Amino acid sequence: MRDSANKNEFISYIKTLTGIDVKLLSGEEEAKFTFEGAISGFNGIKEEAVILDIGGGSTEISFFEQKKFVSYSLPIGAV
């Protein structure tokens, strides 16, 4: 949805239907949340993990490099 031409109309439609405010995540935010969710059930692997998330419109790659969180969001997806 991040790159959709009508994303603002869709967000407004959801707000009208449900009353819920929608926050559109950046690619970097999506990568961080995906990384944290993917490793949440494992103890002690945070700095040894690489997470690859292939979505509909983007692919996020997340990992730690020299104890710093690094993420990339690429405009390549399954759609």
Side-chain angles (χ1 to χ4, degrees), residues 41-61:
F42 300 97
N43 291 325
I45 69 158
K46 185 173 188 174
E47 293 181 8
E48 298 175 5
V50 175
I51 303 300
L52 177 66
D53 174 23
I54 301 172
S58 64
T59 296
E60 282 69 42
I61 303 167

Side-chain angles (χ1 to χ4, degrees), residues 1-72:
M1 187 169 88
R2 194 170 26 249
D3 297 323
S4 299
N6 66 340
K7 65 183 166 208
N8 293 328
E9 290 84 358
F10 183 74
I11 290 170
S12 294
Y13 180 67
I14 296 300
K15 172 73 172 179
T16 300
L17 282 180
T18 66
I20 297 171
D21 289 317
V22 174
K23 179 183 187 286
L24 193 56
L25 299 176
S26 70
E28 290 73 28
E29 289 171 317
E30 182 180 355
K32 185 173 191 306
F33 287 128
T34 299
F35 184 87
E36 293 295 332
I39 65 164
S40 65
F42 300 97
N43 291 325
I45 69 158
K46 185 173 188 174
E47 293 181 8
E48 298 175 5
V50 175
I51 303 300
L52 177 66
D53 174 23
I54 301 172
S58 64
T59 296
E60 282 69 42
I61 303 167
S62 311
F63 56 92
F64 273 86
E65 182 175 62
Q66 299 177 2
K67 301 190 183 266
K68 181 180 175 193
F69 182 75
V70 178
S71 67
Y72 298 98

